[in-house]
Amino acid sequence: MEISIIALPLIAAITAGFFGKYIGDRNSEIITSLLVSISAVLSVLVFYEVIVNQYEDNIVIATWINSGSLNVNWSMNIDPLSAVMLVVVTSVSALVHIYSIGYMSHDPHKPRFMAYLSLFTFAMLMLVTADNFIQLFFGWEGVGLCSYFLIGFWFKKETANAAAIKAFVVNRVGDFGFALGIFLIFYLFGTVNYSEVFEQIPAIIDKKLLFLGIEIKAVDLICLLLFIGAMGKSAQIFLHTWLPDAMEGPTPVSALIHAATMVTAGVFLVVRCSPIFEYSELALNVVTVVGMTTALFAASVALVQTDIKKIIAYSTCSQLGYMFFAAGVGAYNVAMFHLFTHAFFKALLFLGSGSVIHAFKDEQDINKMGGVWKKLPYTYTLMIIGTLALTGFPLLSGFYSKDAIIEFAFLSGKTTGYYAAGIGIFTAFLTSIYSWRLIFKTFHGKYNNEEIKIEETHESPLVMLIPLILLSIGAIFAGFTFKELFISYDGINKFWNSSILFLEPLSTDHPPLWFLLLTPVLVTISIPLAYYLFVKNKELPSQIANVNKPLYEFLLNKWYFDELYENIIIKPSKRFGLFLWKFFDIKVIDGFGPDGISALIKKFSLKANKFQSGYIYQYAFIMLLGFSALLTFLIVK
């Protein structure tokens, strides 16, 4: 049963990818959706076994590498951590497959799209079920490759191609650090298997290494290198620039890859490696600072974006920041809890935005929408549920997981934890503002689209609405249902077992009442505030932007990260490349190499050609000169 969870998406990908043109579009859609749905059902059964019977197993599928001390298997490691990820990946993937049947109905390349989705699901499952860093890296690169395929799916669109290349290149930066971390692990321990590495970590906590001329603890260096990989995959600040651009891909791609699965791989990596990170206070502080900075950065940028998908993309970036600073303060289980709940409401928002885009015939600018809440009643209601969950409105899933992160950060007793808690509260307020801005500008107020008549907008078909309804159930109930299991003190001992290491048990204290009420109150107040700003007094946001123009421009240009990288990395690299090409390649290598030798031979050939005149007296004269030279040489000798 367990192996089927991995095998079925692979079979689906092969079937649709290689035989799609023979079996047809509809059969490709049905087969891929059915097989991935079966995988989701089996994942739920495994998750149930883990909860009820504390089921754990390491199923060896095949021997992969056996060389010296390097022994690596293809295996399926089932424990609480991987069981949670199995449910998240397969359930969201199955719903996205079904949703894509409606959303991509007019696309001429449906089998290829469905094959890519299934292949991505297979790679992600390989990642989360690995019992060693090599298989993890295989899945890691596999999801990166599928991300490239899916973002650039509409390859005739220049912006899609550019976004796909950007995502691939930026992730290579993070993956380089990740690969170095794996090399260092093998160098120090002679193995890459999780269990063997984690057992040996306490023995090297005082070991120091010289890296780039700096003396640093080995465990700190391992964690920092692994975290660089996590930053790239999970779009944390400095390596985040690919995520908003990735919205050029079809909306189901955004929901699957950039909301619920691939971008959470970095969080999963940090939690999986908790037995290493727990021994590195430096790395945990870095994780906390990067996480809280990303949360604030992305939320501030989302306030002024107008592309419906990019707003939700920055929201994803921000929520991932929450997960990281939860892990940074040692609350790994809370990070996983937010990862779990976030998958439902963020996939719901992305697919809901796809429903809106579908209704507006591919329009994504929220300034060209409005006034359609009666025309799209189901999409509107479901997106309201997703927004309430995202903002942490009381009793919905985001309320339990996001507030738990802020509370544990506050109770951690660390300076970085206090900062993270404060920024988390402020970011929650910003999240609520930009989320309701999206809702009010999309569905309320005056209808603003001059190209499409309001009568032409329509609700999405049932095949697109059913996945939204199922995701909304998770967005409402996942937090309350699984809170005790994931984050209670008993839950740590009974559920997570050895899959997460806590050197110090999490605090069982309760924050003061004012602290507990602060975030829900701010989130609730923001709803009428956003309604006033974006429906009742639409001129006020523009007036505020004009008064604070430098700040507005700063946020509109995404803190100028793209421009900064353009000027300090891309342009100098281009200039250096042109210099190497025009001077070294053309003038030096070609000049003294093939071009130089060929030119010299040609010159000698032309000169030698002049001796071949065809006149006998000239040949006789040359023979005489040669004979004279030879005779002179012999006499002198």
Side-chain angles (χ1 to χ4, degrees):
M1 179 178 76
E2 291 86 347
I3 296 176
S4 299
I5 296 172
I6 293 176
L8 290 173
L10 179 60
I11 294 169
I14 293 170
T15 304
F18 290 105
F19 306 104
K21 64 181 179 180
Y22 303 112
I23 63 177
D25 293 356
R26 180 60 69 197
N27 287 330
S28 296
E29 292 169 338
I30 292 172
I31 289 170
T32 52
S33 301
L34 179 63
L35 292 180
V36 175
S37 298
I38 294 171
S39 180
V41 172
L42 295 177
S43 296
V44 171
L45 294 177
V46 169
F47 187 51
Y48 177 79
E49 284 295 313
V50 170
I51 294 173
V52 175
N53 300 320
Q54 288 78 51
Y55 169 65
E56 291 189 23
D57 198 4
N58 188 15
I59 303 164
V60 177
I61 300 170
T63 300
W64 185 16
I65 303 172
N66 191 345
S67 176
S69 63
L70 182 61
N71 294 297
V72 178
N73 295 322
W74 286 110
S75 60
M76 189 172 183
N77 183 38
I78 304 294
D79 65 2
L81 189 56
S82 61
V84 170
M85 292 301 295
L86 284 176
V87 171
V88 169
V89 173
T90 56
S91 58
V92 173
S93 179
L95 294 174
V96 167
H97 274 73
I98 296 167
Y99 178 91
S100 299
I101 295 173
Y103 190 87
M104 303 295 287
S105 59
H106 302 297
D107 194 276
H109 305 292
K110 290 185 277 291
R112 179 164 62 90
F113 183 76
M114 303 304 283
Y116 287 164
L117 288 181
S118 298
L119 184 62
F120 169 84
T121 307
F122 164 73
M124 192 68 196
L125 292 173
M126 293 301 296
L127 188 159
V128 300
T129 57
D131 74 340
N132 61 79
F133 286 99
I134 302 297
Q135 184 181 329
L136 172 71
F137 193 72
F138 168 80
W140 193 273
E141 293 302 306
V143 294
L145 178 64
C146 294
S147 168
Y148 172 79
F149 289 154
L150 287 164
I151 294 168
F153 180 75
W154 290 321
F155 57 85
K156 293 182 180 179
K157 189 178 174 185
E158 281 298 322
T159 51
N161 283 328
I165 292 169
K166 185 176 183 179
F168 198 77
V169 171
V170 173
N171 270 277
R172 295 291 71 70
V173 176
D175 293 353
F176 179 68
F178 185 29
L180 288 179
I182 295 173
F183 296 155
L184 181 58
I185 285 170
F186 182 70
Y187 170 75
L188 290 171
F189 305 115
T191 181
V192 290
N193 295 317
Y194 292 155
S195 58
E196 297 171 7
V197 171
F198 296 160
E199 284 175 6
Q200 297 180 60
I201 286 294
I204 63 129
I205 55 175
D206 295 321
K207 184 179 178 64
K208 293 186 177 181
L209 298 170
L210 198 64
F211 182 73
L212 300 177
I214 302 170
E215 191 176 64
I216 185 171
K217 284 186 175 181
V219 68
D220 290 343
L221 184 56
I222 291 170
C223 291
L224 291 174
L225 289 172
L226 294 178
F227 182 58
I228 290 172
M231 285 176 65
K233 199 64 75 184
S234 293
Q236 294 301 281
I237 195 166
F238 301 121
L239 294 178
H240 69 278
T241 52
W242 66 271
L243 183 60
D245 290 11
M247 297 302 106
E248 290 291 340
T251 300
V253 174
S254 304
L256 178 61
I257 294 181
H258 310 120
T261 52
M262 188 186 87
V263 291
T264 61
V267 180
F268 170 78
L269 174 65
V270 172
V271 176
R272 172 61 79 194
C273 294
S274 60
I276 307 176
F277 278 85
E278 277 292 90
Y279 290 97
S280 176
E281 187 175 352
L282 170 65
L284 288 176
N285 286 332
V286 169
V287 172
T288 306
V289 171
V290 169
M292 67 184 183
T293 307
T294 303
L296 178 61
F297 153 74
S300 67
V301 172
L303 286 170
V304 297
Q305 298 300 307
T306 57
D307 185 309
I308 187 171
K309 283 172 66 178
K310 286 191 176 181
I311 294 170
I312 303 173
Y314 277 109
S315 171
T316 301
C317 199
S318 182
Q319 297 306 305
L320 289 165
Y322 274 97
M323 297 174 208
F324 274 111
F325 80 66
V329 298
Y332 305 101
N333 55 329
V334 186
M336 288 302 300
F337 183 38
H338 194 49
L339 185 156
F340 183 75
T341 60
H342 174 265
F344 294 106
F345 59 73
K346 189 53 62 68
L348 172 60
L349 285 171
F350 263 119
L351 294 183
S353 72
S355 184
V356 172
I357 294 166
H358 186 74
F360 279 91
K361 298 180 180 177
D362 298 329
E363 179 58 66
Q364 295 184 196
D365 189 344
I366 59 173
N367 289 327
K368 295 181 180 179
M369 299 177 184
V372 293
W373 69 276
K374 291 182 180 178
K375 294 286 291 180
L376 310 174
Y378 300 113
T379 299
Y380 172 66
T381 303
L382 293 165
M383 284 197 73
I384 288 284
I385 292 171
T387 299
L388 288 170
L390 168 64
T391 57
F393 193 79
L395 305 181
L396 274 77
S397 59
F399 167 73
Y400 294 100
S401 57
K402 187 192 289 185
D403 279 28
I405 289 175
I406 296 170
E407 289 168 25
F408 277 102
F410 179 78
L411 293 171
S412 68
K414 300 178 182 177
T415 304
T416 52
Y418 293 135
Y419 279 119
I423 288 176
I425 292 170
F426 181 59
T427 301
F429 176 69
L430 295 182
T431 300
S432 193
I433 292 290
Y434 71 68
S435 298
W436 287 108
R437 170 179 175 261
L438 184 152
I439 292 293
F440 292 138
K441 288 181 79 70
T442 301
F443 294 101
H444 289 270
K446 180 185 173 185
Y447 183 77
N448 296 311
N449 198 305
E450 297 177 358
E451 298 174 6
I452 306 167
K453 294 180 180 178
I454 191 168
E455 291 79 18
E456 295 178 25
T457 58
H458 56 86
E459 188 59 271
S460 297
L462 203 59
V463 72
M464 292 173 64
L465 290 176
I466 289 174
L468 292 175
I469 293 167
L470 294 174
L471 286 168
S472 69
I473 294 170
I476 296 170
F477 298 110
F480 174 77
T481 306
F482 292 98
K483 179 186 176 185
E484 291 299 316
L485 181 73
F486 277 63
I487 65 174
S488 71
Y489 188 78
D490 289 338
I492 294 170
N493 295 322
K494 291 180 180 177
F495 178 65
W496 296 109
N497 291 330
S498 60
S499 63
I500 296 177
L501 176 67
F502 298 91
L503 285 181
E504 296 180 11
L506 295 177
S507 174
T508 54
D509 296 334
H510 292 281
L513 182 62
W514 66 267
F515 186 83
L516 292 173
L517 294 175
L518 184 56
T519 305
V521 168
L522 286 174
V523 165
T524 306
I525 289 173
S526 67
I527 300 174
L529 177 60
Y531 183 77
Y532 176 75
L533 286 172
F534 304 113
V535 178
K536 285 296 184 182
N537 192 349
K538 289 185 177 180
E539 300 301 320
L540 186 56
S542 299
Q543 293 169 2
I544 295 171
N546 289 330
V547 171
N548 299 280
K549 193 144 190 172
L551 176 61
Y552 175 73
E553 291 289 335
F554 181 68
L555 297 179
L556 190 63
N557 288 286
K558 302 159 286 189
W559 289 27
Y560 292 104
F561 271 106
D562 283 316
E563 290 78 4
L564 186 67
Y565 290 162
E566 178 79 17
N567 287 303
I568 68 171
I569 297 174
I570 296 170
K571 285 183 178 178
S573 298
K574 282 183 177 178
R575 284 196 293 266
F576 185 59
L578 286 171
F579 170 73
L580 291 178
W581 171 43
K582 291 188 174 181
F583 181 75
F584 278 100
D585 202 29
I586 294 176
K587 292 186 177 179
V588 177
I589 297 173
D590 287 349
F592 289 98
D595 290 350
I597 292 170
S598 62
L600 190 64
I601 291 171
K602 185 178 180 181
K603 185 183 287 187
F604 277 116
S605 299
L606 290 172
K607 294 292 184 184
N609 187 48
K610 292 180 180 179
F611 288 98
Q612 305 298 321
S613 64
Y615 295 112
I616 295 176
Y617 68 87
Q618 286 187 351
Y619 294 158
F621 177 69
I622 291 169
M623 290 171 66
L624 183 60
L625 285 177
F627 178 73
S628 301
L630 180 61
L631 190 62
T632 304
F633 174 75
L634 292 172
I635 292 170
V636 171
K637 191 175 179 182

